[in-house]
Amino acid sequence: MPADLANQVTVLGIKNARFWADSEGGALAHEAELALEREKAAAKKTRDGHLPPAHFLAVSGGSDDGSFGAGLICGWFDTGTMPTFKLVTGVSTGAMIAPFAFLGRSYMAGLRAVYTTIGPGNVLKKLGIHNAVFGEALADTSPLFGLIRHYVNEQMLADIASEYDRGRLLLIGTASLDAQRPVIWNIGAIAVSGRPGALELIRRVILASASIPGAFPPVMIDVEAKGHHYQEMNVDGGVVAQTFLYPADLGLSVDFASTELARERHAYIIRNSRLDPEWASVNRRFLTISGRAIATMIHYIGYSDILRIYARQSATVSTTTWRISSPTFRM
């Protein structure tokens, strides 16, 4: 895709299927306003127009540590106190968790199964160092894509669409390597579109969000611009941000204190990794040093994301309460 067409990209002809996280805060704010209108319309049918408190959930990346977030959500659901979330976002392993957390109810059994009944063979096929040098990645993720296909099925698509119609949003983050920019995918809008290929697109978005560059191959997603078709290379959104609630510039586009949007809010952040440094004795070898350096960068990206989200949203939304959870931190 030519660089000058990047801002005109659509997928399956759905204008609100995706947003550039670094420049389309206004467009995403408009999507939030439309969601509010749908929520108000649904509330008139069930609660005389009264809007309940809004609950937001962000689930971070973390690879195998996604079992922490999955366990937390399953346990939370079992207590009977887990709310219905107005917004759920996910990145990397968080993108695998997000649809289950968004739908809740009977989908909790699937979330448990994904994180407790599978092994490495259900996720990847090792290809070896030769493929890393001359190919795309160290592993083939066709087993993981098969797992996604099994759980992200026609019924899940219909249920996500139904919840989107009620004013709820499910967002998943990837990174476009071609454009070197973060992408936010509006999963509910894709689900409700009825377009042929919508289900397959959602599956590929989830796979892309979980595709760690170098370890897993990138996912090529078909896009369109000015009547021409292109392929865009998408990978794990964690290369840009390990977790997000919404883009930073969205706060500049929305007056959260306005009459229309004023309501009680609760934000929950699940960080699927430690927030304190983890000491290790590093061998003086190229691959070990490089791997440790990358892991350190990812660690501090995730740590900074927590601080950024808290500082940004606390500055713009004074009525929000927060719950942040990681294996080593509670707030």
Side-chain angles (χ1 to χ4, degrees):
M1 177 182 61
D4 61 334
L5 297 181
N7 292 327
Q8 301 178 46
V9 166
T10 61
V11 183
L12 297 181
I14 309 168
K15 291 184 178 180
N16 61 338
R18 52 176 266 166
F19 307 92
W20 292 113
D22 57 358
S23 65
E24 293 192 308
L28 194 51
H30 180 62
E31 179 68 19
E33 291 167 356
L34 294 177
L36 178 62
E37 292 303 315
R38 295 193 301 273
E39 184 183 11
K40 289 164 63 177
K44 288 180 180 179
K45 299 176 183 179
T46 59
R47 293 183 297 272
D48 299 324
H50 175 70
L51 294 180
H55 298 269
F56 306 92
L57 173 67
V59 190
S60 84
S63 190
D64 293 348
D65 288 336
S67 57
F68 167 77
L72 189 155
I73 289 170
C74 287
W76 192 2
F77 178 81
D78 287 347
T79 67
T81 62
M82 189 174 84
T84 297
F85 299 107
K86 165 72 174 175
L87 167 71
V88 177
T89 72
V91 175
S92 194
T93 193
M96 297 281 293
I97 295 171
F100 296 99
F102 181 73
L103 294 173
R105 303 186 305 276
S106 60
Y107 285 91
M108 290 296 99
L111 180 59
R112 281 190 176 88
V114 168
Y115 282 90
T116 63
T117 65
I118 67 171
N122 301 105
V123 176
L124 56 87
K125 294 178 182 177
K126 293 182 179 179
L127 298 176
I129 194 66
H130 180 274
N131 201 71
V133 176
F134 299 103
E136 293 182 319
L138 286 167
D140 171 15
T141 51
S142 55
L144 176 59
F145 195 38
L147 191 69
I148 293 171
R149 282 176 175 271
H150 176 72
Y151 286 100
V152 183
N153 51 33
E154 292 284 355
Q155 185 60 56
M156 178 178 277
L157 184 77
D159 290 341
I160 291 173
S162 176
E163 295 305 312
Y164 179 81
D165 281 337
R166 294 176 55 211
R168 300 177 62 214
L169 295 173
L170 172 60
L171 307 177
I172 287 177
T174 67
S176 167
L177 286 187
D178 298 310
Q180 203 175 42
R181 298 171 70 183
V183 183
I184 293 178
W185 295 85
N186 191 1
I187 303 302
I190 299 171
V192 83
S193 71
R195 300 293 175 88
L199 178 58
E200 189 68 8
L201 174 60
I202 292 172
R203 290 166 170 168
R204 293 185 68 80
V205 167
I206 294 173
L207 178 65
S209 188
S211 294
I212 304 166
F216 296 164
V219 176
M220 306 304 294
I221 295 180
D222 294 330
V223 300
E224 306 163 24
K226 281 196 170 181
H228 296 282
H229 296 267
Y230 304 95
Q231 282 198 317
E232 181 185 69
M233 184 180 290
N234 279 254
V235 298
D236 189 338
V239 304
V240 177
Q242 288 288 303
T243 186
F244 71 97
L245 271 178
Y246 46 77
D249 67 337
L250 184 63
L252 304 177
S253 307
V254 178
D255 178 9
F256 287 102
S258 70
T259 303
E260 289 295 310
L261 295 174
R263 65 197 293 190
E264 182 182 335
R265 300 178 185 85
H266 303 273
Y268 305 86
I269 316 297
I270 297 177
R271 169 67 179 147
N272 288 306
S273 185
R274 301 176 67 90
L275 287 179
D276 58 339
E278 194 168 6
W279 190 93
S281 179
V282 182
N283 294 328
R284 297 179 64 178
R285 295 179 180 175
F286 169 73
L287 290 178
T288 307
I289 293 170
S290 299
R292 179 67 170 175
I294 292 170
T296 301
M297 282 194 300
I298 291 173
H299 169 80
Y300 281 100
I301 287 174
Y303 184 85
S304 298
D305 285 339
I306 297 296
L307 299 179
R308 171 183 51 79
I309 292 171
Y310 183 78
R312 173 69 67 172
Q313 270 64 253
S314 293
T316 58
V317 187
S318 60
T319 57
T320 300
T321 59
W322 296 86
R323 300 293 185 273
I324 302 172
S325 294
S326 87
T328 56
F329 179 79
R330 299 289 185 276
M331 180 173 175

